[in-house]
Amino acid sequence: MNLLEMSFSGGVFIAAVIIIRAAAIDHLPGRTFLVLWEMALLRLLIPFSVPSAFSVYTMFGRGLSIPSFPEAETGSVLSAALQESVITGQGMELLPADSSPVSVWFVIWCTGTIFLAVFFAVSYLRCRMEFRTALPVSHTYAEQWLKERPLKRPVSVRQSDRILAPLTYGIFRPVILMPKQTDWEHAEQLQYVFAHEYVHICRLDALTKLVAASALCIHWFNPFVWVMCLLFNRDMELACDESVIRQFGEKSKAAYSRMLICMEAEKSGLLPFCSSFCKTAMEERIIAIMNIKRTTSVTFLSACLTVLVTVSLFATSAEVSADPGRHVPAAGSLQADAGGTAADQKSSMSIVHESADILHYEDGSPYIHDILTNHTDQTIVETQYGMLAYDENGSPLKLHWNFLDSSAESSFENMVRSEEHLPPGQTEEYRGGWSLYDGEIMESFPAVGNGGANEAVYSLLCLKQAVFEDGTVWKNPDYEYWLKNYAGKETDVDELQNYYPHEYRIEFGGNR
């Protein structure tokens, strides 16, 4: 999955959690929503998904088509000079990789990511510098409380005149930081404060906030991620409140709520990786505390079922439709021009068509942008492959591929050739592409056709042969079978969307 696919899928998941939260926040344990937000974080940060028959995308009948991460585009229409330099006898050569600059969208994304990362880093360092002035607490209650709650990580209690409400910071050496004006004789209030902060420490909320900040830096352009971070922080506090109430009993609700109100205060600056008492959503916290009920087997099962169903529906991808009669794995063995060579030992290698997306110039004219990866041990110096095109419903299109020739007849198949060198282990991204003018003929070059609709939405490509640096030629024995199965045939949209990456298995001989 690319960045936009991850962000889109994560946004859908977040929207689902927001709706569930609004409907069930007073009926399910607070921990339920923390688990859902953690699943949303994983969906935003893990670059792959698990196909599932229960996915909401499968239920729609097709996986949603998500555009690739913005790439540098060429001009709206190729200039005459550039077109003449890339036309071959049967099609158009790929544009040189340096024919267009770095995508402006990529630059914007990098700028936003770096700016936000620097902002969080500066905020964190500023807080750390202020917290270093905090003094250790030497009080009987605090010392006794620490002895009764040993952790593998050393926990300390400090106090500072830079804060107005208690907070917790640190991952490996967590610190409970108390305001300087703390009333150390008010034991009831202290026990609630320490219990609340202790829950934050045990649950590693500081680390979770760091991960959430990382997701926000990467997906800063997605408004749903901003909403997630806001609600995630709220639900952390709600879950801690709930844990404290369950620890001290329902009779503690009133006293604990009064303590929260007493602790309500403005904080100086943004504390992105700390957990604290604050006035943010205080009303929501008080209401939630009053609505806390004893956890029963029914509520526990409801919470588990909510998480399971939500993850199954929104965190998975569309199930790939398997149709062995149609999708033909291209395979073959290297054949030398002289008739081939025998192999003492053979190792399985491949060339992979990573993708073949149909993009559009500014005027709406389509072009195919394809990407190859060389998983052999030789540099590929030339490739030839066939191309097919389909509309949004999977219907095959007869195109005037060789559009400069006004006498050319439309056809399903188009053969193209590229002499771009692709070293072993490398993935080559073409900055231009193969122009498509479906249903159009170039009557007066360089005019763009006759203004007919550009219907091409999907494309299938298949290697016919590849030439390697030592002169060896691999000819795909399955090409004709592939052409027979796909050219001019109605093809299921799911298959078109899940066709790539497409692998061509190749066997190199030991004596070449």
Side-chain angles (χ1 to χ4, degrees), residues 25-152:
I25 191 169
D26 295 330
H27 306 287
L28 294 176
R31 185 65 178 165
T32 307
F33 302 103
L34 290 188
V35 174
L36 288 174
W37 292 128
E38 288 163 0
M39 293 298 102
L41 279 178
L42 292 178
R43 179 61 281 158
L44 289 168
L45 297 175
I46 297 179
F48 60 85
S49 61
V50 179
S52 171
F54 302 103
S55 172
V56 68
Y57 305 109
T58 303
M59 294 180 183
F60 277 139
R62 63 174 69 180
L64 293 181
S65 179
I66 306 168
S68 300
F69 190 79
E71 299 189 45
E73 293 189 10
T74 56
S76 60
V77 182
L78 295 174
S79 66
L82 193 57
Q83 287 183 357
E84 289 179 353
S85 68
V86 298
I87 298 299
T88 63
Q90 290 184 308
M92 294 186 64
E93 286 287 50
L94 293 170
L95 296 178
D98 58 353
S99 62
S100 61
V102 176
S103 169
V104 65
W105 297 113
F106 179 75
V107 174
I108 292 174
W109 174 77
C110 285
T111 302
T113 297
I114 294 172
F115 174 82
L116 205 56
V118 170
F119 173 77
F120 280 127
V122 171
S123 298
Y124 177 76
L125 292 175
R126 179 174 63 83
C127 292
R128 290 287 295 186
M129 291 179 64
E130 291 185 356
F131 295 161
R132 289 181 66 180
T133 64
L135 300 175
V137 171
S138 179
H139 190 275
T140 304
Y141 183 89
E143 293 174 353
Q144 183 64 29
W145 185 87
L146 289 175
K147 288 180 181 179
E148 293 175 355
R149 292 163 180 81
L151 279 179
K152 292 183 179 180

Side-chain angles (χ1 to χ4, degrees), residues 272-326:
F273 307 123
C274 307
S275 299
S276 66
F277 289 96
C278 64
K279 66 184 299 180
T280 303
M282 183 59 66
E283 182 179 356
E284 182 183 43
R285 292 180 67 179
I286 299 299
I287 293 174
I289 289 170
M290 295 305 172
N291 288 330
I292 293 176
K293 300 179 181 63
R294 185 173 62 88
T295 301
T296 64
S297 57
V298 174
T299 56
F300 177 77
L301 290 175
S302 298
C304 293
L305 186 62
T306 299
V307 173
L308 180 62
V309 171
T310 306
V311 172
S312 299
L313 286 175
F314 299 100
T316 55
S317 59
E319 187 178 39
V320 178
S321 59
D323 189 352
R326 294 299 307 276

Side-chain angles (χ1 to χ4, degrees), residues 160-178:
S160 170
D161 58 358
R162 304 292 183 92
I163 63 172
L164 296 174
L167 60 85
T168 298
Y169 71 92
I171 298 173
F172 301 107
R173 295 178 177 272
V175 174
I176 298 176
L177 193 61
M178 303 293 290

Side-chain angles (χ1 to χ4, degrees), residues 354-368:
E354 303 289 354
S355 63
D357 300 321
I358 293 188
L359 308 179
H360 294 82
Y361 300 118
E362 292 181 3
D363 69 342
S365 302
Y367 65 94
I368 297 178

Side-chain angles (χ1 to χ4, degrees), residues 371-388:
I371 299 174
L372 283 176
T373 298
N374 181 6
H375 290 299
T376 70
D377 60 3
Q378 279 202 70
T379 296
I380 299 172
V381 297
E382 179 185 310
T383 54
Q384 292 185 24
Y385 46 90
M387 307 167 65
L388 305 174

